[in-house]
Amino acid sequence: MKKLVSTIVTTSAAAAGLLFAGVVNANADSTYTVKSGDSVWAIAQKFNTTINNVETTNNIKGHYILPGQKLTIKTSSSNTNSSSSNSTSASTTSSSSTSSTSTSSSSNTTATTSSTSSSTSSSTSTYTGSNLKSYVLSQMESRTGVSASTWNTIITRESNWQPYVVNSTSGAYGLFQNMHISSGSVEEQVNAAVALYEAQGMAAWAL
């Protein structure tokens, strides 16, 4: 029984010793022997640390090292630097993500504003049936330079805003009582009136 207890104690002590030694080795500084062709930068890269760390620890001046020279590499400092680098990288990534989200939000707002503006102006740039007067007057004013009020007077006099009326005597058709067309939609009547204005001016309507 005593022998068994002694064996267990000895085994436990040995295991504890190995564990302790492993912890010490894990945290211990590394020693590196300089080889021909080595540089401080290459050694720092090899141990995942910085040039400044290697040179400060070993009192190196002007990056000057010699083959066979033994250098102490502080691994704990390396880990700290690595952790700091990771933290900085994560912070930068987070900042970039926030900036990207902000930019995307700004773009969406601009697109919404543009869409609203486009929707507002479409009431006079597209004929829907219910916007007859505003559509025709805005088209004629913008395309001929003659005021909307003048065109309103002409259309009221000629057809009283009846888009498909035909004069049984002269054959004149539509809003403008245009004698050069005998049929056509409101859009086609506007196009025909603009063409007539460009050819004859306001004289086409005795003005």
Side-chain angles (χ1 to χ4, degrees), residues 1 30 43 68 96-97 104 141 150 156-157 180 182 188 193 197:
M1 182 66 176
S30 300
I43 295 170
S96 176
S97 176
S104 176
E141 182 177 54
T150 299
T156 301
R157 182 192 70 191
H180 299 278
S182 58
E188 290 171 330
Y197 170 80

Side-chain angles (χ1 to χ4, degrees), residues 93-144:
T93 301
S94 175
S95 175
S96 176
S97 176
T98 301
S99 176
S100 176
T101 300
S102 176
T103 301
S104 176
S105 175
S106 176
S107 295
N108 289 339
T109 301
T110 302
T112 301
T113 303
S114 177
S115 176
T116 302
S117 176
S118 176
S119 176
T120 301
S121 64
S122 67
S123 61
T124 54
S125 62
T126 303
Y127 177 57
T128 63
S130 61
N131 66 340
L132 173 65
K133 184 172 288 189
S134 61
Y135 168 77
V136 172
L137 293 180
S138 67
Q139 286 287 311
M140 294 305 296
E141 182 177 54
S142 64
R143 294 171 66 178
T144 65

Side-chain angles (χ1 to χ4, degrees), residues 172-196:
Y173 172 77
L175 293 168
F176 303 88
Q177 286 297 283
N178 192 336
M179 296 182 65
H180 299 278
I181 59 174
S182 58
S183 64
S185 65
V186 170
E187 292 93 333
E188 290 171 330
Q189 291 180 48
V190 168
N191 291 336
V194 171
L196 183 59

